[in-house]
Each structure stands twice: as structure tokens, then as C-alpha cells.
């Protein structure tokens, strides 16, 4: 997944940035009108200039009130601050958002350039989403992950990348460490135990110590680079923060966890509203489910055909594999074929090493096959920071649009030390050698790492700030299919089988999310969907149940985005026929940044912006 290691105070967007590109950066004009070309150009230029002013003031104010996210973006004016989730801080954010929404709604979209028409629609959706999350969803009142993300992210974002000299970053970290105890106090004040779900409380109780590990592993080793009063202040801040973390741990263990009585299911009304904001797609909840169910059926059929070929003549083959199988015959054949892939898996301490190797091989393949322009920026495969573990197996963390030339991190979670041999075996069956290749395609090449490298080059920083989760996650899933279709790993049928299994996971995600939060799906039924229908191992499925309980409207982004990417490519390919060039298509699509699929389609096909 593409998971920023820094959830914002109000988790709103995928990426953040500082400046809005001006009208001079825009390359297209609005459709011709009855006015003269000169008059039309002047009108568009004036409208674009007004939009640039409004959007820049919004973004400056937005980041100032979310300083941890601002650091992640590459705007370092507020590196010594943290987000304010007090009642006064929340009201300030809401008042600001409503004022900016009024200004945005007053703009005449028809007079803007095409690119700014897209950006205006994206910006309006975001501001409305902000207000809805603060006033209606109110995650600040029931989700302790919000506070944990700010506390850990406040320090991690300063220390993970060398965007400034170490002494400067240490001074900023000192100031933030001094403020984190107040954030813990806000958490204890704001959270309504009757609304806090038990699983959210338990997760944060496990992650809390990770804040201390950032201090010990990323800050303390560099303390010698400060001297005098700065060093004294740093030492005091570290000591005070460790004490505050310990006190917070006691509150989490003794008060929050035992007192948490909330339901993690957000219900149909909130879910549908959140889904519409998060996806910004014309696809409804029912559309998504219908598509996902049909895709699962089709993909299982393809897997059965592959399974029959790889099992032919093998002792492990089921007795019967007819052309038209029963559900049971199909299940047995696919499971037997997958066992051949599961047999090839890494040692528990070699997963990161294999991810590095797989990323290098995938990069070479992309370049050899001329699938898309490859990045010239570095990527580092790292162990996932402790304070982020427990939600996903891996994520891609790209530098903010303003932090040029810095590393992208492809983070992989280590296998927990307290897992039993059976749990470790389950995990490594799921993340077998071929699956690590598939994971690396998704997170790195040609997935998130490549796509976000392209996105950060797009002149509209606003679009990079408000990158669409469904476009980003959908591209990574689409990239998996592109690699399979191009014959990655020498058309290995077991790799083809694993690729389809991973596609099934994303299809199941789209169903799972709404079935849990709206339909009340039980854990047993969810596990059946994952372990039987889509062939996931117990550890993967158990982790996904936790993730689906902790989040909402994120799991569908993979399949929704993938569907939109496939629909668009099929349409362009049909129009261009023999002239279609996959590299040219991909480079043009990625040149638009990371807009929602509906806008990518309109830009690619030169259709009116709706």
C-alpha cells in the first residue's frame, strides 16, 4: 500500500505540499467561445490568477495548522510545531475551512484553464471533506490513532531524511518533543471512551512505545552535534518525553483499553459519505461490489486454467480437473497449484533482502521492455518503524513534493518476535518468494515509487498535495498486471498465478470494507472470504481483518483505481488501434500527476471537465 508514515491531525490526503503553480505553468486553454481568442486568453489568465491566489492562501493556512504534515511535504516553516487538537485548535481549523470554501465556491470554473478546472474540483472536494471529518466523523473524539500518528510522525519526519543539517533538525525535534506531552493531554481530554473501539485502543497501546524508540534510535545518537544550551535543552526534552510516553502507556493500559466500548463499524451513512469524499469517483458502493464480485469470478476462472497446466502430471494434482469444474473442483485445483508457489519462500530474516533483489530485477525489466519512463531518484528498502507496525505489511513513503532529490522508502514490517512457528509459516506462505516480487512491483517498480516520482514532477503542486488514493493505489495494482502481461519472470506460470491471487486480494478488499462497516460482516465470514474465496493465508487474513477494523474507505481504493485505469487504457487502446504505444500512454497518463480517475480520463481524452 502507499501509506504515509505520518497520519495528519485530521487524516485527509495522501501527499502534501506548499505552492500552487501559477497560470504561467498551465499549457491548455478553455474550449473556444464566441469571444475573440485574445479576450478568451485574457479572461482565462485572470481567472487562473485568482484561483492561484485563493488556492495558495488555502494551502499555506492548511499546512500551518497541520505542521507535522507540512514537514512531510517539504515545507519546513513549522518544523518546531505540532498539530493542535484542542477545542480551540479544532474550531480554528473548521472556521478557516468554511471561509476558504466560500471563496472557492465563488470562483467561476468555466473561465479556468483545463488543469485548473481539475484542481478546483479537487480542492473543493478536499475542503468539504475536511469540514465533514472534523464536524461529522469526529475521529479526534474516538480514534486514538490520530494522536499516535502525530506524536510519532512529528519526530520521524524530522529525522528520516536529510533535508537540512542535523543540528537544525535536532533543534526542531527538541521543540516538538517539548510539545508532545500536551498532545497526550489533548488525547485524554478529547477521547470519549464510550466511542473508542477496543481494537483502536489496543493497537495504539502496542504502538506507543515506538515513540521512545524514535528518540533512542534516531535522535539520541546525534545528540553530540549540539552543545551548550541547545544540548541541555535537547537532553531535558528527551527525558521529559520518555516520562510522558511512560505515563501515557499507563493511561492506555489501565484506562483506555479496559474502558473502550465503541463500535469500530462506522455504519452506512458515514461510510457512504466518506467513500464519496475519499474516492471522488462516480462509482457507488453497490457499483464497486458488483464489479468486484464479477472480477473475483473471472479471476478464479483464469487461475483454474493456469492450475490445470502447472499440475499436469504432478502427484499433487487433484483426481479430477474437468473443463467445467464444480466450485469444489476449482477450489482444490487452485489450492494445489498455489502450494507449489508456497514451497519457495524466504527465511524469516531474509524478507527485506529479497525485497531489495526483487526491486532491482523489476526495475531492469521495466527498462528492458520500455513499459514506462523509470525514475532517476533513489529508493531505500527499510524495516518499518515500530510506531507504524500493526496496520500493513509494507508501504511506500515518497518524499514530499518540495523535498527534491531525497530518498523514497519502501518499508517492510519484520515478522514479530512473539509469533509462533505456525504463525511465521503462515506469513511466509503468503509472502513467498514470488509474492515478495509482486509486493515489490506494487510498492516500488513500476508501482508507487515510480508513479509518485512522476507525480511530483507535475507543475501543479496542489494536485501533488491532494493526490488521489484510488489513482495511486489503482496504478500500483495496474502495474502488477502490466508486468504480468509483459512476461515478468519469463512467463513463469506460478508467478502468473500469484499475480492473480494478489488481484483477488484487492477485489476482496473492496467487498470486505463495505461488508464490515455497513453490512456488519462477522470475522468468521470475513476470514472465509479471504482464506477460501481469495486464497489468503490465515496470518494475512487476520491482519487484514484488523486493518479493515481500524480503517474505512481506504481498502476499496486499490480495486476502484485499478478498474478506472483499465477502463481508460482499454478505451485509448481501442481508439488508437495499431498506433497504441504502451510507454507513450503511461508517460502521458502519469504526466497529469495523481488526479482522481474521472479527471485523468477527461484530461487523457480531452473531454470537458465535470
Amino acid at each position: 500500500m502507499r501509506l504515509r508514515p505520518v497520519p495528519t491531525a485530521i487524516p485527509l490526503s495522501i501527499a502534501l505540499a506548499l505552492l500552487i503553480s501559477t497560470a504561467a505553468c498551465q499549457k491548455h486553454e478553455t474550449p473556444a467561445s464566441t469571444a475573440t481568442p485574445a479576450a478568451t486568453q485574457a479572461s482565462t489568465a485572470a481567472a487562473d490568477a485568482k484561483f492561484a491566489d485563493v488556492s495558495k492562501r488555502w494551502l499555506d493556512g492548511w499546512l500551518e495548522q497541520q505542521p507535522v504534515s507540512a514537514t512531510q511535504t517539504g515545507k519546513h516553516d513549522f518544523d518546531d510545531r505540532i498539530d493542535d487538537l484542542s477545542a480551540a485548535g479544532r474550531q480554528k481549523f473548521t472556521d478557516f475551512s468554511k471561509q476558504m470554501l466560500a471563496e472557492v465556491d465563488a470562483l467561476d470554473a468555466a473561465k479556468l484553464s483545463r488543469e485548473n478546472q481539475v484542481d478546483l474540483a479537487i480542492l473543493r472536494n478536499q475542503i468539504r471533506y475536511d469540514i465533514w471529518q472534523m464536524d461529522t466523523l469526529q475521529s479526534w473524539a474516538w480514534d486514538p490513532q490520530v494522536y499516535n500518528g502525530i506524536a510519532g510522525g512529528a519526530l520521524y519526519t524530522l529525522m528520516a531524511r536529510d533535508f537540512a543539517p542535523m543540528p537544525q533538525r535536532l533543534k526542531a525535534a527538541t521543540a516538538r518533543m517539548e510539545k508532545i506531552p500536551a498532545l497526550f493531554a489533548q488525547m485524554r481530554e478529547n477521547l470519549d471512551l464510550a466511542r473508542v473501539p477496543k481494537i483502536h485502543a489496543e493497537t495504539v497501546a502496542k504502538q506507543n512505545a515506538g515513540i521512545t524508540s524514535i528518540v533512542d534510535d534516531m535522535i539520541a545518537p546525534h545528540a553530540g552535534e549540539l552543545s551548550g544550551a541547545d544540548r541541555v535543552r535537547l537532553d531535558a526534552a528527551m527525558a521529559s518525553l520518555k516520562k510522558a510516553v511512560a505515563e501515557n502507556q499507563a493511561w492506555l493500559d489501565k484506562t483506555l483499553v479496559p474502558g473502550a466500548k465503541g463500535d469500530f463499524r462506522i455504519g452506512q451513512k458515514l461510510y457512504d459519505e466518506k467513500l464519496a469524499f475519499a474516492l471522488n469517483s462516480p462509482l457507488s458502493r453497490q457499483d464497486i461490489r458488483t464489479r468486484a464480485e464479477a472480477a473475483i469470478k473471472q479471476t478464479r476462472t483464469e487461475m483454474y486454467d493456469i492450475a490445470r497446466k502447472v499440475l499436469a502430471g504432478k502427484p499433487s494434482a487433484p483426481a479430477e480437473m474437468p473443463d467445467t469444474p464444480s466450485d469444489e473442483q476449482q477450489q482444490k485445483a487452485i489450492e494445489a497449484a498455489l502450494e507449489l508457489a508456497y514451497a519457495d519462500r524466504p527465511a524469516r530474516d531474509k524478507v527485506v533482502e529479497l525485497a531489495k533483489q526483487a526491486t532491482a530485477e523489476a526495475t531492469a525489466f521495466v527498462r528492458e521492455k520500455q513499459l514506462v519512463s523509470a525514475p532517476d531518484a533513489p529508493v531505500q528498502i527499510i524495516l518499518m518503524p515500530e510506531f507504524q507496525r500493526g496496520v500493513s505489511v509494507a508501504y511506500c513513503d515518497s518524499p514530499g513534493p518540495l523535498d527534491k532529490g531525497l530518498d523514497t522508502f519502501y518499508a517492510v514490517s519484520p515478522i514479530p518476535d512473539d509469533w509462533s512457528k505456525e504463525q511465521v509459516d503462515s506469513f511466509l506462505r503468503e509472502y513467498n518468494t514470488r509474492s515478495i516480487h509482486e509486493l515489490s512491483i506494487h510498492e516500488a517498480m513500476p508501482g508507487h515509487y515510480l508513479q509518485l516520482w512522476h507525480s511530483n514532477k507535475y507543475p501543479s503542486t496542489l494536485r501533488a498535495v491532494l493526490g488521489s488514493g484510488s489513482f495511486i493505489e489503482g496504478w500500483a495494482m495496474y502495474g502488477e498486471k502490466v508486468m504480468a502481461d509483459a512476461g515478468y519472470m519469463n512467463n513463469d506460470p506460478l508467478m502468473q498465478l500469484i499475480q492473480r491471487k494478489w488481484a483477488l486480494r484487492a477485489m476482496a478488499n473492496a467487498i470486505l470494507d463495505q461488508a464490515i462497516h455497513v453490512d456488519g460482516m462477522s470475522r468468521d465470514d470475513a476470514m472465509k472470504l479471504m482464506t477460501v474465496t481469495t486464497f489468503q493465508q490465515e496470518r494475512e487474513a487476520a491482519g487484514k481483518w484488523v486493518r479493515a477494523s481500524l480503517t474505512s474507505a481506504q481498502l476499496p481504493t486499490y480495486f476502484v483505481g485499478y478498474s478506472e485505469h483499465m477502463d481508460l487504457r482499454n478505451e485509448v487502446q481501442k481508439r488508437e488501434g495499431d498506433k497504441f504505444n504502451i510507454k507513450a500512454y503511461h508517460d502521458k497518463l502519469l504526466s497529469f500527476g495523481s488526479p482522481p480517475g474521472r479527471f485523468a480520463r477527461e484530461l487523457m481524452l480531452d473531454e470537458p471537465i465535470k
Side-chain angles (χ1 to χ4, degrees):
M1 68 183 295
R2 195 275 181 137
L3 176 68
R4 284 287 189 195
V6 190
T8 59
I10 310 114
L12 306 172
S13 66
I14 300 287
L16 300 166
L18 168 64
L19 301 173
I20 305 299
S21 57
T22 64
C25 294
Q26 310 302 333
K27 300 178 181 179
H28 301 284
E29 297 175 0
T30 53
S33 68
T34 56
T36 65
T40 299
Q41 290 176 4
S43 176
T44 298
D48 282 349
K50 187 172 183 179
F51 174 70
D53 172 67
V54 171
S55 54
K56 183 181 185 303
R57 285 189 289 107
W58 171 80
L59 190 52
D60 286 344
W62 196 61
L63 290 176
E64 184 175 5
Q65 295 182 75
Q66 299 180 106
V68 175
S69 295
T71 300
Q72 175 71 33
T73 299
K75 178 174 174 58
H76 297 292
D77 302 57
F78 318 117
D79 284 352
D80 59 346
R81 309 181 200 175
I82 64 172
D83 305 36
D84 180 6
L85 284 181
S86 66
R90 300 194 308 270
Q91 189 61 53
K92 180 181 178 182
F93 185 88
T94 300
D95 291 345
F96 165 77
S97 298
K98 290 179 177 179
Q99 173 60 40
M100 293 308 306
L101 181 61
E103 293 193 45
V104 165
D105 284 343
L107 297 173
D108 186 350
K111 294 182 178 179
L112 295 172
S113 61
R114 284 178 59 80
E115 287 83 356
N116 276 339
Q117 287 178 4
V118 170
D119 286 357
L120 174 62
I122 293 171
L123 176 56
R124 179 183 288 111
N125 182 76
Q126 182 62 56
I127 299 176
R128 292 178 61 233
Y129 193 14
D130 290 353
I131 296 168
W132 179 85
Q133 290 202 92
M134 187 65 80
D135 291 350
T136 303
L137 186 63
Q138 297 183 341
S139 55
W140 51 268
W142 56 267
D143 189 357
Q145 294 178 103
V146 169
Y147 303 88
N148 182 71
I150 296 171
L155 304 179
Y156 180 82
T157 53
L158 293 173
M159 306 309 297
R161 291 187 174 91
D162 296 328
F163 62 82
M166 180 58 71
Q168 178 180 330
R169 289 186 284 142
L170 287 171
K171 291 177 184 178
T174 298
R176 283 186 168 176
M177 285 190 288
E178 292 171 342
K179 295 176 176 64
I180 290 174
L183 178 69
F184 289 154
Q186 290 174 5
M187 174 169 64
R188 294 191 285 270
E189 172 70 22
N190 292 344
L191 290 179
D192 179 353
L193 270 61
R195 297 175 64 186
V196 176
K198 177 77 72 175
I199 193 168
H200 290 63
E202 291 173 342
T203 298
V204 170
K206 293 176 182 177
Q207 293 175 332
N208 183 63
I211 298 169
T212 299
S213 71
I214 297 175
V215 175
D216 291 339
D217 299 340
M218 303 181 76
I219 297 176
H222 301 285
E225 298 193 35
L226 293 183
S227 60
D230 290 332
R231 174 61 189 273
V232 171
R233 185 182 171 193
L234 172 64
D235 289 342
M238 288 192 292
S240 295
L241 179 57
K242 287 184 179 182
K243 181 181 177 182
V245 169
E247 292 173 347
N248 196 52
Q249 188 70 55
W251 180 80
L252 292 169
D253 293 338
K254 296 178 182 179
T255 301
L256 185 65
V257 172
K261 306 297 182 184
D263 186 353
F264 64 83
R265 306 174 198 272
I266 66 173
Q268 179 178 335
K269 181 178 184 296
L270 290 177
Y271 184 86
D272 285 345
E273 291 173 353
K274 185 175 183 181
L275 191 71
F277 282 124
L279 299 183
N280 202 353
S281 168
L283 294 177
S284 68
R285 172 164 50 90
Q286 187 56 54
D287 291 336
I288 294 167
R289 184 154 193 163
T290 300
R291 281 194 175 208
E293 288 174 345
I296 286 175
K297 183 177 181 179
Q298 175 61 32
T299 303
R300 283 178 58 100
T301 298
E302 294 173 7
M303 292 177 75
Y304 178 72
D305 291 341
I306 296 171
R308 293 176 73 196
K309 295 174 183 177
V310 301
L311 290 170
K314 288 187 170 57
S316 58
E320 296 181 352
M321 294 188 293
D323 290 345
T324 305
S326 66
D327 290 345
E328 183 179 359
Q329 289 170 330
Q330 184 188 70
Q331 187 76 20
K332 286 183 178 180
I334 297 173
E335 287 177 348
L338 285 171
E339 286 296 330
L340 301 177
Y342 298 158
D344 181 8
R345 53 185 188 260
R348 66 178 295 164
D349 60 345
K350 298 297 183 182
V351 174
V352 172
E353 182 178 318
L354 178 58
K356 292 179 180 180
Q357 174 190 330
T359 299
E361 292 177 11
T363 301
F365 185 84
V366 167
R367 290 194 169 115
E368 176 192 350
K369 297 294 184 179
Q370 290 289 293
L371 299 177
V372 58
S373 294
D376 56 9
V379 60
Q380 286 190 33
I381 293 88
I382 64 170
L383 282 177
M384 188 180 294
E386 184 178 356
F387 81 100
Q388 278 296 322
R389 297 173 193 171
V391 179
S392 66
V393 171
Y395 62 69
C396 177
D397 168 29
S398 297
L402 295 186
D403 275 334
K404 305 299 183 183
L406 299 182
D407 287 350
T408 291
F409 297 130
Y410 162 19
V412 181
S413 180
I415 296 175
D417 293 335
D418 60 355
W419 275 13
S420 67
K421 181 180 182 301
E422 290 74 19
Q423 289 174 319
V424 172
D425 184 65
S426 173
F427 178 88
L428 292 175
R429 282 164 61 83
E430 184 73 19
Y431 289 92
N432 55 76
T433 298
R434 290 175 177 83
S435 282
I436 295 299
H437 277 269
E438 196 72 14
L439 178 68
S440 299
I441 288 169
H442 183 99
E443 300 295 345
M445 281 290 290
H448 292 321
Y449 159 50
L450 178 143
Q451 187 267 317
L452 293 168
W453 174 80
H454 278 272
S455 181
N456 284 348
K457 294 169 62 179
Y458 186 73
S460 168
T461 309
L462 178 67
R463 201 174 297 174
V465 168
L466 303 179
S468 163
S470 56
F471 184 97
I472 293 166
E473 294 294 359
W475 169 268
M477 183 180 172
Y478 167 77
E480 296 171 37
K481 178 171 174 53
V482 168
M483 294 288 275
D485 290 347
Y488 183 63
M489 292 182 68
N490 298 315
N491 288 306
D492 171 17
L494 290 180
M495 186 65 194
Q496 298 279 335
L497 197 67
I498 289 295
Q499 186 273 324
R500 284 161 176 79
K501 173 183 166 171
W502 274 61
L504 281 181
R505 291 187 358 169
M507 297 162 193
N509 284 349
I511 297 172
L512 192 70
D513 195 62
Q514 61 176 267
I516 288 174
H517 286 284
V518 176
D519 303 326
M521 175 182 269
S522 68
R523 187 181 189 278
D524 286 346
D525 286 343
M527 293 295 286
K528 182 179 179 181
L529 171 65
M530 291 184 280
T531 61
V532 178
T533 306
T534 59
F535 306 102
Q536 298 173 51
Q537 294 297 301
E538 186 276 338
R539 281 294 84 193
E540 173 67 18
K544 190 64 62 65
W545 168 260
V546 171
R547 179 173 164 189
S549 303
L550 292 170
T551 66
S552 55
Q554 194 278 327
L555 285 174
T557 58
Y558 304 86
F559 180 68
V560 170
Y562 169 78
S563 298
E564 292 175 333
H565 278 294
M566 287 303 301
D567 288 348
L568 177 57
R569 195 186 94 174
N570 289 339
E571 185 167 354
V572 172
Q573 200 162 357
K574 183 178 179 180
R575 289 188 181 190
E576 296 185 357
D578 293 340
K579 296 180 180 180
F580 180 79
N581 178 281
I582 195 166
K583 182 175 185 291
Y585 169 79
H586 289 155
D587 284 355
K588 181 178 179 181
L589 175 65
L590 296 182
S591 75
F592 300 136
S594 301
R598 59 192 289 191
F599 299 125
R601 183 184 187 283
E602 290 162 356
L603 290 168
M604 178 66 79
L605 301 178
D606 200 27
E607 295 180 346
I609 305 301
K610 299 176 184 177

